[in-house]
Structure formats: structure tokens, C-alpha cells
Amino acid sequence: FQYVQQDGSQSHTHKRGVFTFVVNFGGVLLLFLLGLFVNSSGSVQDAIVHVAAAALIGYTVLLHTQLFNIFPALAFLPLFCCFIVAHLVAKSFRSRPAKVGVVTSSR
């Protein structure tokens, strides 16, 4: 038997392969669940949307409460970040050049 020393690139390749597998598996699982959601009845879809919205709102309230307990100004940090992102998105839409041949005024 001959001992061959392995370099770190094989370990990196293995980690990358595991990451790729996990991401692909998650994507397939997500598409499967999305297909089940789309093919379910309207009342089931409504129930799932209401549960997801309630969980999201509840988690947001819990997060803001915890941030407020740490330091009151931190409770407004997520809102401030959302305002910055909205401002940057609006600014990027305003800076786009108008399409040629598109009439933007009513005259």
C-alpha cells in the first residue's frame, strides 16, 4: 500500500459538494412544497397564508421587543434600514434613462 498525501483542495471540493447537494435538495424541496401549495384548495391556501402572516408579524413584534429591551433606539434600526433600501430602489428607478419611442406625457 502506498500512502498518498492529500492536499487541502480535496477537502475544499468535498465541502463544496456537500454545500451544492444541500442547496439543490432545498431547492427541490421548496419547489415540491410550492407545487403542493398551488394545487391545494383556496381555503387551504388562505389558511397557510394567514398562518405565515401571523407568524411573520409575531416574530417582528418579538424582535422589536427584544431590541427595545437591549436599547430603545435599536427598535427603530430595522425600520431605518427599510427606509434606506426603499430610498435606494426609488433613486435607481429615477436615474434610469427613458425608453426611446415611449411617450410619457399626454400631449
Side-chain angles (χ1 to χ4, degrees):
F1 294 102
Q2 185 178 10
Y3 176 74
V4 178
Q5 185 178 4
Q6 295 180 352
D7 58 349
S9 64
Q10 289 179 348
S11 174
H12 175 69
T13 304
H14 174 70
K15 288 178 185 176
R16 193 169 139 221
V18 170
F19 177 74
T20 303
F21 170 75
V22 169
V23 169
N24 286 340
F25 179 75
V28 169
L29 184 66
L30 182 69
L31 287 175
F32 174 72
L33 293 174
L34 185 65
L36 284 177
F37 176 74
V38 169
N39 290 326
S40 62
S41 66
S43 60
V44 173
Q45 288 180 1
D46 284 345
I48 292 172
V49 168
H50 285 299
V51 166
L56 182 66
I57 291 170
Y59 179 73
T60 303
V61 168
L62 178 66
L63 177 70
H64 280 80
T65 304
Q66 289 176 345
L67 286 173
F68 189 81
N69 287 336
I70 294 171
F71 186 68
L74 286 177
F76 299 103
L77 185 65
L79 182 65
F80 183 67
C81 291
C82 289
F83 282 148
I84 289 175
V85 169
H87 167 73
L88 293 175
V89 168
K91 188 176 179 181
S92 71
F93 279 120
R94 279 186 270 151
S95 65
R96 288 186 180 176
K99 292 184 179 180
V100 178
V102 176
V103 178
T104 57
S105 63
S106 61
R107 293 188 202 196

Coordinates of all heavy atoms in Angstrom, one line a residue, residues 2-92:
Q2 N 0.5 2.2 -0.8 CA 1.3 3.4 -0.9 C 0.4 4.5 -0.3 O -0.7 4.7 -0.6 CB 1.6 3.7 -2.4 CG 2.5 4.9 -2.5 CD 2.9 5.1 -4.0 OE1 2.3 4.5 -4.9 NE2 3.8 5.9 -4.3
Y3 N 1.1 5.3 0.6 CA 0.4 6.4 1.2 C 0.6 7.6 0.3 O 1.7 8.0 0.0 CB 1.0 6.7 2.6 CG 0.4 7.9 3.3 CD1 -0.9 7.8 3.8 CD2 1.2 9.1 3.4 CE1 -1.4 8.9 4.5 CE2 0.6 10.2 4.0 CZ -0.6 10.1 4.6 OH -1.2 11.2 5.2
V4 N -0.6 8.3 0.0 CA -0.5 9.5 -0.8 C -1.0 10.6 0.1 O -2.1 10.5 0.7 CB -1.4 9.3 -2.0 CG1 -1.4 10.6 -2.9 CG2 -1.0 8.2 -2.9
Q5 N -0.2 11.7 0.2 CA -0.6 12.8 1.0 C -1.6 13.6 0.2 O -1.4 14.0 -1.0 CB 0.6 13.6 1.3 CG 0.3 14.8 2.3 CD 1.5 15.5 2.7 OE1 2.6 15.3 2.2 NE2 1.4 16.5 3.5
Q6 N -2.7 13.9 0.9 CA -3.8 14.7 0.2 C -3.6 16.2 0.6 O -3.3 16.5 1.7 CB -5.2 14.3 0.7 CG -5.5 12.9 0.3 CD -6.9 12.5 0.7 OE1 -7.5 13.2 1.5 NE2 -7.3 11.3 0.3
D7 N -3.8 17.0 -0.4 CA -3.7 18.5 -0.1 C -5.1 19.0 0.3 O -6.1 18.2 0.3 CB -3.2 19.2 -1.3 CG -4.0 19.1 -2.5 OD1 -4.9 18.2 -2.5 OD2 -3.8 19.8 -3.5
G8 N -5.2 20.2 0.7 CA -6.4 20.8 1.2 C -7.5 21.0 0.1 O -8.6 21.2 0.4
S9 N -7.1 20.9 -1.2 CA -8.1 21.2 -2.2 C -9.1 20.1 -2.3 O -10.3 20.4 -2.6 CB -7.3 21.3 -3.6 OG -6.8 20.1 -3.9
Q10 N -8.8 18.8 -1.9 CA -9.8 17.8 -2.0 C -10.8 18.0 -0.9 O -12.0 17.8 -1.0 CB -9.2 16.4 -1.9 CG -8.4 16.0 -3.1 CD -7.7 14.7 -3.0 OE1 -7.7 14.1 -1.9 NE2 -7.3 14.2 -4.1
S11 N -10.4 18.5 0.3 CA -11.3 18.8 1.4 C -12.2 19.9 1.0 O -13.4 19.9 1.3 CB -10.5 19.1 2.6 OG -11.3 19.5 3.6
H12 N -11.6 20.9 0.3 CA -12.5 22.0 -0.1 C -13.5 21.6 -1.1 O -14.6 22.0 -1.1 CB -11.6 23.1 -0.7 CG -12.3 24.3 -1.3 ND1 -13.0 25.2 -0.5 CD2 -12.5 24.7 -2.6 CE1 -13.6 26.1 -1.3 NE2 -13.3 25.8 -2.5
T13 N -13.1 20.7 -2.0 CA -14.0 20.2 -3.0 C -15.1 19.4 -2.4 O -16.3 19.5 -2.8 CB -13.2 19.3 -4.1 OG1 -12.2 20.0 -4.6 CG2 -14.2 18.8 -5.2
H14 N -14.8 18.6 -1.4 CA -15.8 17.8 -0.7 C -16.8 18.8 0.0 O -18.0 18.6 0.0 CB -15.2 16.9 0.4 CG -16.1 16.2 1.2 ND1 -16.9 15.2 0.8 CD2 -16.5 16.3 2.5 CE1 -17.7 14.7 1.7 NE2 -17.4 15.4 2.8
K15 N -16.3 19.8 0.7 CA -17.2 20.8 1.4 C -18.1 21.5 0.4 O -19.3 21.7 0.6 CB -16.4 21.8 2.2 CG -15.7 21.2 3.4 CD -14.9 22.3 4.1 CE -14.2 21.7 5.3 NZ -13.3 22.7 5.9
R16 N -17.5 21.8 -0.8 CA -18.3 22.4 -1.8 C -19.4 21.5 -2.4 O -20.5 21.9 -2.7 CB -17.4 22.9 -2.9 CG -18.0 23.9 -3.9 CD -17.0 24.5 -4.8 NE -17.5 24.5 -6.1 CZ -16.9 24.3 -7.2 NH1 -15.6 23.9 -7.2 NH2 -17.5 24.3 -8.4
G17 N -19.0 20.2 -2.5 CA -20.0 19.2 -3.0 C -21.2 19.1 -2.0 O -22.3 18.9 -2.4
V18 N -20.9 19.1 -0.7 CA -21.9 18.9 0.3 C -22.8 20.2 0.3 O -24.0 20.1 0.3 CB -21.3 18.7 1.7 CG1 -22.3 18.8 2.8 CG2 -20.6 17.4 1.8
F19 N -22.2 21.3 0.2 CA -23.0 22.6 0.1 C -23.9 22.6 -1.1 O -25.1 22.9 -1.0 CB -22.0 23.8 0.1 CG -22.8 25.1 -0.1 CD1 -23.4 25.6 1.0 CD2 -22.8 25.8 -1.3 CE1 -24.1 26.8 0.9 CE2 -23.4 27.0 -1.4 CZ -24.1 27.5 -0.3
T20 N -23.4 22.1 -2.3 CA -24.1 22.1 -3.5 C -25.3 21.1 -3.3 O -26.4 21.4 -3.8 CB -23.3 21.7 -4.7 OG1 -22.2 22.6 -4.8 CG2 -24.0 21.7 -6.0
F21 N -25.0 20.0 -2.7 CA -26.1 19.0 -2.5 C -27.2 19.6 -1.6 O -28.4 19.4 -1.9 CB -25.5 17.7 -1.9 CG -26.6 16.8 -1.4 CD1 -27.3 16.0 -2.3 CD2 -26.9 16.7 0.0 CE1 -28.3 15.1 -1.8 CE2 -27.9 15.8 0.4 CZ -28.6 15.0 -0.5
V22 N -26.8 20.2 -0.5 CA -27.8 20.8 0.4 C -28.6 21.8 -0.3 O -29.9 21.9 -0.1 CB -27.1 21.3 1.7 CG1 -28.1 22.1 2.5 CG2 -26.5 20.2 2.5
V23 N -28.0 22.7 -1.1 CA -28.7 23.8 -1.7 C -29.7 23.2 -2.8 O -30.8 23.6 -2.9 CB -27.7 24.8 -2.4 CG1 -28.4 25.7 -3.3 CG2 -27.0 25.6 -1.3
N24 N -29.2 22.2 -3.6 CA -30.0 21.6 -4.6 C -31.2 20.9 -4.0 O -32.3 21.0 -4.4 CB -29.2 20.7 -5.5 CG -28.4 21.4 -6.4 OD1 -28.6 22.6 -6.7 ND2 -27.3 20.7 -6.9
F25 N -31.0 20.2 -2.9 CA -32.0 19.5 -2.2 C -33.0 20.4 -1.6 O -34.3 20.2 -1.7 CB -31.4 18.6 -1.0 CG -32.5 17.9 -0.3 CD1 -33.1 16.7 -0.8 CD2 -32.9 18.3 1.0 CE1 -34.1 16.0 -0.1 CE2 -33.8 17.6 1.7 CZ -34.4 16.5 1.2
G26 N -32.6 21.5 -1.1 CA -33.5 22.6 -0.6 C -34.3 23.2 -1.7 O -35.5 23.4 -1.5
G27 N -33.7 23.4 -2.8 CA -34.5 23.9 -3.9 C -35.5 23.0 -4.4 O -36.7 23.4 -4.7
V28 N -35.2 21.7 -4.5 CA -36.2 20.7 -5.0 C -37.3 20.6 -4.0 O -38.5 20.5 -4.3 CB -35.5 19.3 -5.2 CG1 -36.5 18.2 -5.4 CG2 -34.6 19.4 -6.4
L29 N -37.0 20.6 -2.7 CA -38.0 20.5 -1.7 C -38.9 21.7 -1.7 O -40.1 21.6 -1.6 CB -37.3 20.4 -0.3 CG -38.3 20.2 0.9 CD1 -39.0 18.8 0.8 CD2 -37.5 20.2 2.2
L30 N -38.3 22.9 -1.9 CA -39.1 24.1 -1.9 C -40.1 24.1 -3.1 O -41.2 24.5 -3.0 CB -38.2 25.4 -2.0 CG -38.9 26.7 -2.1 CD1 -39.5 27.0 -0.7 CD2 -37.9 27.8 -2.4
L31 N -39.6 23.7 -4.3 CA -40.5 23.6 -5.5 C -41.6 22.5 -5.3 O -42.7 22.8 -5.7 CB -39.6 23.2 -6.7 CG -38.8 24.4 -7.3 CD1 -37.9 23.9 -8.4 CD2 -39.6 25.5 -7.7
F32 N -41.3 21.4 -4.6 CA -42.3 20.4 -4.3 C -43.4 21.0 -3.4 O -44.6 20.9 -3.7 CB -41.6 19.2 -3.7 CG -42.6 18.2 -3.2 CD1 -43.3 17.4 -4.1 CD2 -42.9 18.0 -1.8 CE1 -44.2 16.5 -3.7 CE2 -43.8 17.1 -1.4 CZ -44.4 16.3 -2.3
L33 N -42.9 21.7 -2.3 CA -43.9 22.3 -1.4 C -44.7 23.4 -2.1 O -45.9 23.6 -1.8 CB -43.2 22.8 -0.2 CG -42.6 21.8 0.7 CD1 -41.8 22.4 1.8 CD2 -43.7 20.8 1.2
L34 N -44.1 24.2 -3.0 CA -44.8 25.2 -3.7 C -45.8 24.6 -4.7 O -46.9 25.1 -4.8 CB -43.8 26.1 -4.5 CG -44.3 27.3 -5.2 CD1 -44.9 28.3 -4.2 CD2 -43.3 27.9 -6.1
G35 N -45.5 23.5 -5.3 CA -46.4 22.8 -6.1 C -47.6 22.3 -5.3 O -48.8 22.4 -5.8
L36 N -47.4 21.8 -4.1 CA -48.5 21.3 -3.3 C -49.3 22.5 -2.9 O -50.6 22.4 -2.9 CB -47.9 20.7 -2.0 CG -47.4 19.2 -2.2 CD1 -46.8 18.8 -0.8 CD2 -48.4 18.3 -2.6
F37 N -48.7 23.6 -2.6 CA -49.5 24.8 -2.2 C -50.4 25.3 -3.3 O -51.5 25.6 -3.1 CB -48.5 25.9 -1.8 CG -49.2 27.2 -1.4 CD1 -49.9 27.4 -0.3 CD2 -49.1 28.3 -2.3 CE1 -50.5 28.6 0.0 CE2 -49.7 29.5 -2.0 CZ -50.4 29.6 -0.8
V38 N -49.8 25.4 -4.6 CA -50.6 25.9 -5.7 C -51.7 24.9 -6.0 O -52.8 25.4 -6.4 CB -49.6 26.1 -6.9 CG1 -50.4 26.3 -8.2 CG2 -48.7 27.2 -6.7
N39 N -51.5 23.6 -5.9 CA -52.6 22.7 -6.2 C -53.6 22.4 -5.1 O -54.5 21.7 -5.3 CB -51.9 21.3 -6.7 CG -51.2 21.5 -8.0 OD1 -51.6 22.2 -8.9 ND2 -50.1 20.7 -8.1
S40 N -53.4 23.0 -4.0 CA -54.4 22.8 -2.9 C -55.6 23.8 -3.1 O -55.5 24.7 -3.9 CB -53.7 23.1 -1.5 OG -53.3 24.4 -1.5
S41 N -56.6 23.5 -2.3 CA -57.8 24.3 -2.5 C -57.6 25.7 -2.0 O -56.7 26.0 -1.2 CB -59.0 23.7 -1.7 OG -58.7 23.7 -0.4
G42 N -58.5 26.6 -2.3 CA -58.4 28.0 -1.9 C -58.4 28.2 -0.4 O -57.7 29.1 0.1
S43 N -59.3 27.5 0.3 CA -59.4 27.6 1.7 C -58.1 27.2 2.4 O -57.7 27.8 3.4 CB -60.5 26.8 2.3 OG -60.4 25.5 2.0
V44 N -57.4 26.2 1.9 CA -56.2 25.7 2.5 C -55.1 26.8 2.2 O -54.3 27.1 3.1 CB -55.8 24.3 1.9 CG1 -54.4 23.9 2.4 CG2 -56.8 23.3 2.3
Q45 N -55.1 27.3 1.0 CA -54.1 28.4 0.7 C -54.3 29.6 1.6 O -53.4 30.2 2.1 CB -54.3 28.8 -0.8 CG -53.8 27.8 -1.8 CD -53.9 28.2 -3.2 OE1 -54.4 29.3 -3.5 NE2 -53.5 27.4 -4.2
D46 N -55.6 30.0 1.8 CA -55.9 31.1 2.7 C -55.4 30.8 4.1 O -54.8 31.7 4.7 CB -57.3 31.4 2.7 CG -57.8 32.1 1.5 OD1 -57.0 32.6 0.7 OD2 -59.1 32.2 1.3
A47 N -55.6 29.6 4.6 CA -55.2 29.2 5.9 C -53.6 29.3 6.0 O -53.1 29.8 7.0 CB -55.7 27.9 6.3
I48 N -52.9 28.8 5.0 CA -51.5 28.8 5.0 C -50.9 30.3 5.0 O -50.0 30.6 5.7 CB -50.9 28.0 3.9 CG1 -51.2 26.5 4.1 CG2 -49.4 28.2 3.7 CD1 -50.9 25.6 2.9
V49 N -51.5 31.1 4.2 CA -51.1 32.5 4.1 C -51.4 33.2 5.4 O -50.5 34.0 5.9 CB -51.8 33.2 2.9 CG1 -51.6 34.7 3.0 CG2 -51.3 32.6 1.6
H50 N -52.5 33.0 6.0 CA -52.8 33.6 7.3 C -51.9 33.2 8.4 O -51.5 34.0 9.2 CB -54.3 33.4 7.7 CG -55.3 34.1 6.9 ND1 -55.3 35.5 6.9 CD2 -56.3 33.8 6.1 CE1 -56.3 35.9 6.1 NE2 -56.9 34.9 5.6
V51 N -51.6 31.9 8.4 CA -50.6 31.4 9.5 C -49.3 32.0 9.2 O -48.6 32.4 10.2 CB -50.6 29.8 9.5 CG1 -49.4 29.3 10.2 CG2 -51.9 29.3 10.0
A52 N -48.8 32.0 8.0 CA -47.5 32.6 7.7 C -47.4 34.1 8.0 O -46.5 34.6 8.6 CB -47.1 32.4 6.2
A53 N -48.5 34.8 7.7 CA -48.5 36.2 8.0 C -48.6 36.5 9.5 O -47.9 37.4 10.1 CB -49.8 36.9 7.4
A54 N -49.3 35.7 10.3 CA -49.4 35.8 11.7 C -48.0 35.5 12.3 O -47.6 36.2 13.3 CB -50.4 34.9 12.3
A55 N -47.3 34.5 11.8 CA -46.0 34.1 12.3 C -45.0 35.2 12.0 O -44.2 35.6 12.9 CB -45.6 32.8 11.7
L56 N -45.1 35.8 10.9 CA -44.2 36.9 10.5 C -44.4 38.1 11.3 O -43.4 38.7 11.8 CB -44.3 37.2 9.0 CG -43.4 38.3 8.5 CD1 -41.9 37.8 8.5 CD2 -43.8 38.7 7.1
I57 N -45.6 38.5 11.5 CA -45.9 39.7 12.4 C -45.5 39.4 13.8 O -44.9 40.3 14.5 CB -47.4 40.0 12.2 CG1 -47.7 40.6 10.8 CG2 -47.8 41.1 13.3 CD1 -49.1 40.8 10.5
G58 N -45.8 38.2 14.3 CA -45.4 37.9 15.7 C -44.0 37.9 15.9 O -43.4 38.4 16.9
Y59 N -43.2 37.3 14.9 CA -41.8 37.3 15.0 C -41.2 38.8 15.0 O -40.3 39.1 15.7 CB -41.1 36.5 13.9 CG -39.6 36.5 14.0 CD1 -38.9 35.8 15.0 CD2 -38.9 37.2 13.1 CE1 -37.6 35.8 15.0 CE2 -37.5 37.3 13.1 CZ -36.9 36.5 14.1 OH -35.5 36.6 14.2
T60 N -41.8 39.6 14.1 CA -41.4 41.0 14.0 C -41.6 41.8 15.4 O -40.8 42.5 15.8 CB -42.1 41.7 12.9 OG1 -41.9 41.0 11.7 CG2 -41.6 43.1 12.7
V61 N -42.8 41.5 16.0 CA -43.1 42.2 17.3 C -42.1 41.7 18.3 O -41.6 42.5 19.1 CB -44.5 41.9 17.7 CG1 -44.8 42.3 19.1 CG2 -45.5 42.7 16.7
L62 N -41.8 40.4 18.3 CA -40.9 39.8 19.3 C -39.5 40.4 19.1 O -38.8 40.8 20.1 CB -40.8 38.3 19.2 CG -39.8 37.5 20.0 CD1 -40.3 37.7 21.5 CD2 -39.8 36.1 19.6
L63 N -39.0 40.5 17.9 CA -37.7 41.1 17.6 C -37.6 42.5 18.0 O -36.6 42.9 18.7 CB -37.4 41.0 16.1 CG -36.1 41.6 15.6 CD1 -35.0 40.7 16.1 CD2 -36.1 41.7 14.1
H64 N -38.6 43.3 17.7 CA -38.6 44.7 18.2 C -38.7 44.8 19.7 O -38.0 45.7 20.2 CB -39.8 45.5 17.5 CG -39.5 45.9 16.1 ND1 -39.6 45.0 15.1 CD2 -39.0 47.0 15.6 CE1 -39.3 45.6 13.9 NE2 -38.9 46.9 14.2
T65 N -39.4 44.0 20.3 CA -39.4 44.0 21.8 C -38.1 43.7 22.4 O -37.6 44.3 23.3 CB -40.5 43.0 22.3 OG1 -41.7 43.3 21.7 CG2 -40.6 43.1 23.8
Q66 N -37.4 42.7 21.8 CA -36.1 42.3 22.3 C -35.1 43.4 22.1 O -34.2 43.7 22.9 CB -35.6 41.0 21.7 CG -36.4 39.8 22.2 CD -35.9 38.5 21.5 OE1 -35.3 38.6 20.4 NE2 -36.3 37.4 22.1
L67 N -35.2 44.0 20.9 CA -34.3 45.2 20.6 C -34.5 46.3 21.5 O -33.6 47.0 21.9 CB -34.4 45.6 19.1 CG -33.8 44.6 18.1 CD1 -34.2 45.1 16.7 CD2 -32.3 44.6 18.2
F68 N -35.8 46.6 21.8 CA -36.1 47.7 22.7 C -35.6 47.4 24.1 O -35.2 48.4 24.8 CB -37.7 47.9 22.7 CG -38.1 49.1 23.4 CD1 -38.0 50.4 22.8 CD2 -38.5 49.1 24.8 CE1 -38.4 51.5 23.5 CE2 -38.9 50.2 25.4 CZ -38.8 51.5 24.8
N69 N -35.7 46.2 24.5 CA -35.1 45.8 25.9 C -33.6 46.0 25.9 O -33.1 46.3 27.0 CB -35.5 44.4 26.3 CG -37.0 44.3 26.6 OD1 -37.6 45.3 27.0 ND2 -37.5 43.1 26.5
I70 N -32.9 45.8 24.8 CA -31.5 46.0 24.8 C -31.1 47.4 24.9 O -30.4 47.9 25.7 CB -30.9 45.3 23.5 CG1 -31.0 43.8 23.6 CG2 -29.4 45.7 23.4 CD1 -30.7 43.1 22.3
F71 N -31.7 48.2 23.9 CA -31.5 49.7 23.9 C -32.7 50.2 23.1 O -32.9 49.8 21.9 CB -30.2 50.0 23.2 CG -29.8 51.4 23.3 CD1 -29.5 52.1 24.5 CD2 -29.8 52.2 22.1 CE1 -29.2 53.4 24.5 CE2 -29.4 53.5 22.1 CZ -29.1 54.1 23.3
P72 N -33.4 51.2 23.6 CA -34.6 51.7 22.9 C -34.4 52.1 21.5 O -35.3 51.9 20.6 CB -35.1 52.8 23.8 CG -34.6 52.4 25.2 CD -33.3 51.8 24.9
A73 N -33.3 52.7 21.2 CA -33.1 53.2 19.8 C -32.9 52.1 18.8 O -33.1 52.3 17.6 CB -31.9 54.1 19.8
L74 N -32.5 50.9 19.3 CA -32.3 49.8 18.4 C -33.6 49.3 17.8 O -33.6 48.6 16.8 CB -31.6 48.6 19.1 CG -30.1 48.8 19.4 CD1 -29.6 47.6 20.2 CD2 -29.4 48.9 18.1
A75 N -34.7 49.5 18.5 CA -36.0 49.1 18.0 C -36.4 49.7 16.6 O -37.2 49.2 15.8 CB -37.1 49.4 19.0
F76 N -35.8 50.9 16.4 CA -36.1 51.6 15.1 C -35.0 51.3 14.0 O -35.2 51.8 12.9 CB -36.2 53.1 15.4 CG -37.3 53.5 16.3 CD1 -37.0 53.8 17.6 CD2 -38.6 53.4 15.9 CE1 -38.0 54.1 18.5 CE2 -39.6 53.7 16.8 CZ -39.3 54.1 18.1
L77 N -34.0 50.5 14.3 CA -33.0 50.2 13.4 C -33.5 49.5 12.2 O -33.2 49.8 11.0 CB -31.8 49.5 14.0 CG -30.6 49.2 13.2 CD1 -29.9 50.5 12.8 CD2 -29.7 48.3 14.0
P78 N -34.3 48.4 12.3 CA -34.8 47.7 11.1 C -35.7 48.6 10.2 O -35.6 48.6 9.0 CB -35.7 46.6 11.7 CG -35.1 46.3 13.0 CD -34.7 47.7 13.5
L79 N -36.5 49.5 10.8 CA -37.3 50.4 10.1 C -36.4 51.4 9.3 O -36.7 51.7 8.1 CB -38.2 51.2 11.0 CG -39.2 52.2 10.4 CD1 -40.2 51.4 9.5 CD2 -39.9 53.0 11.4
F80 N -35.4 51.9 9.9 CA -34.4 52.8 9.3 C -33.8 52.1 8.1 O -33.6 52.7 7.0 CB -33.4 53.3 10.3 CG -32.4 54.3 9.8 CD1 -32.8 55.5 9.4 CD2 -31.1 53.9 9.6 CE1 -31.9 56.4 8.9 CE2 -30.2 54.8 9.1 CZ -30.6 56.1 8.8
C81 N -33.4 50.8 8.3 CA -32.8 50.1 7.2 C -33.7 49.9 6.0 O -33.3 50.0 4.8 CB -32.3 48.7 7.7 SG -30.9 48.8 8.8
C82 N -35.0 49.7 6.3 CA -36.0 49.5 5.2 C -36.2 50.8 4.5 O -36.3 50.8 3.3 CB -37.3 49.1 5.8 SG -37.3 47.4 6.4
F83 N -36.2 52.0 5.2 CA -36.3 53.3 4.6 C -35.1 53.5 3.6 O -35.2 54.0 2.5 CB -36.4 54.4 5.6 CG -37.7 54.5 6.2 CD1 -37.9 55.0 7.5 CD2 -38.9 54.2 5.5 CE1 -39.1 55.1 8.0 CE2 -40.1 54.4 6.0 CZ -40.3 54.8 7.3
I84 N -33.9 53.1 4.1 CA -32.7 53.3 3.2 C -32.8 52.5 2.0 O -32.5 53.0 0.8 CB -31.4 53.0 4.0 CG1 -31.2 54.0 5.1 CG2 -30.2 52.8 3.1 CD1 -30.0 53.7 6.0
V85 N -33.2 51.2 2.1 CA -33.3 50.3 0.9 C -34.4 50.9 0.0 O -34.2 50.9 -1.3 CB -33.7 48.9 1.4 CG1 -34.1 48.0 0.2 CG2 -32.5 48.3 2.1
A86 N -35.6 51.3 0.5 CA -36.6 51.9 -0.3 C -36.1 53.1 -1.0 O -36.4 53.3 -2.2 CB -37.8 52.2 0.5
H87 N -35.4 54.0 -0.4 CA -34.8 55.2 -1.0 C -33.9 54.8 -2.1 O -34.0 55.4 -3.2 CB -34.1 56.0 0.1 CG -33.3 57.1 -0.5 ND1 -33.8 58.3 -1.1 CD2 -31.9 57.3 -0.6 CE1 -32.9 59.0 -1.5 NE2 -31.7 58.5 -1.3
L88 N -33.0 53.9 -1.9 CA -32.1 53.5 -2.9 C -32.8 52.9 -4.2 O -32.4 53.1 -5.3 CB -31.0 52.5 -2.4 CG -30.1 53.2 -1.3 CD1 -29.2 52.1 -0.8 CD2 -29.3 54.3 -2.0
V89 N -33.8 52.1 -3.9 CA -34.5 51.5 -5.0 C -35.3 52.6 -5.8 O -35.2 52.6 -7.0 CB -35.5 50.4 -4.5 CG1 -36.5 50.0 -5.6 CG2 -34.8 49.2 -4.0
A90 N -35.9 53.5 -5.1 CA -36.6 54.6 -5.8 C -35.6 55.5 -6.6 O -35.9 55.9 -7.7 CB -37.4 55.4 -4.8
K91 N -34.4 55.7 -6.0 CA -33.4 56.5 -6.7 C -32.9 55.8 -7.9 O -32.7 56.4 -8.9 CB -32.3 56.8 -5.7 CG -31.3 57.8 -6.2 CD -30.2 58.1 -5.2 CE -29.2 59.0 -5.7 NZ -28.2 59.3 -4.7
S92 N -32.8 54.5 -7.9 CA -32.3 53.8 -9.0 C -33.3 53.8 -10.2 O -33.0 53.8 -11.3 CB -31.9 52.3 -8.7 OG -33.1 51.6 -8.4

